[in-house]
Amino acid sequence: MDLDETDRRHLARAIALSREHMERNEGGPFGAVIARDGKVLAEGWNCVTSTNDPTAHAEVVAIRRACSEVGSFALEGATLYSSCEPCPMCLAAAYWARMGRIVYANTREDAMAIGFDDSIFYEEVAKPPSERLMPTIHAPSAEARAVFADWFKKADRVPY
């Protein structure tokens, strides 16, 4: 798919954010922009090391800001522009936000070549919980089931 001028401009901005904040030592070399209907909703950059937040990837930061800006957890029709292919966490966040599409520059292989290897996460997610490297123990609970049952019956729940 060919990118239009708007796509190229927003992707260039995501890349510029990655450089700018990397050079400020705020985190890794990753930037993101979220736009919808020609309007930038939010920008984000990796600030994992500057905030001690392992979830503060550029895409997640941008998604949080965009959702706050529009007052909704859903970003239907929006595009996530990222300086790099989103990692599994960021990809999942984009799906949870119901992003319309993703446009990225560097690939996961490019990221791996500079020390950001996400392959273990792709592999671990595909495994049954009992086979994961991190012990993952299923501990069924009647009370946990009751909470789910009550949620399902809750008349004023906000589905997502």
Side-chain angles (χ1 to χ4, degrees):
M1 177 180 187
D2 290 328
L3 299 182
D4 65 19
E5 181 55 37
T6 300
D7 287 332
R8 285 191 290 278
R9 185 174 70 252
H10 292 319
L11 186 58
R13 177 63 181 152
I15 295 165
L17 287 166
S18 73
R19 176 174 294 286
E20 177 184 337
H21 294 279
M22 173 198 66
E23 289 177 350
R24 289 184 187 172
N25 292 322
E26 294 176 340
F30 305 99
V33 171
I34 296 175
R36 180 168 57 194
D37 300 325
K39 178 184 179 222
V40 172
L41 301 178
E43 297 180 339
W45 47 89
N46 182 288
C47 47
V48 169
T49 58
S50 61
T51 62
N52 294 317
D53 179 353
T55 69
H57 290 201
E59 299 89 341
V60 170
V61 170
I63 288 168
R64 289 173 180 159
R65 289 177 177 163
C67 288
S68 180
E69 175 67 23
V70 302
S72 174
F73 55 81
L75 298 170
E76 290 102 338
T79 299
L80 169 62
Y81 298 91
S82 181
S83 63
C84 188
E85 180 180 358
C87 75
M89 176 183 70
C90 295
L91 181 61
Y95 274 98
W96 276 112
R98 294 160 179 79
M99 200 69 59
R101 66 187 182 129
I102 299 170
V103 176
Y104 64 93
N106 292 321
T107 67
R108 69 175 92 163
E109 292 80 14
D110 296 329
M112 186 185 313
I114 63 163
F116 293 93
D117 185 357
D118 297 332
S119 59
I120 188 171
F121 304 115
Y122 289 99
E123 294 165 6
E124 287 294 293
V125 167
K127 292 179 183 177
S130 63
E131 294 177 20
R132 294 185 183 144
L133 294 174
M134 182 183 298
T136 307
I137 302 156
H138 179 213
S141 163
E143 181 57 20
R145 281 197 193 276
V147 172
F148 270 23
D150 290 346
W151 166 258
F152 190 70
K153 294 184 292 190
K154 192 172 176 1
D156 62 345
R157 75 174 186 241
V158 178
Y160 63 97

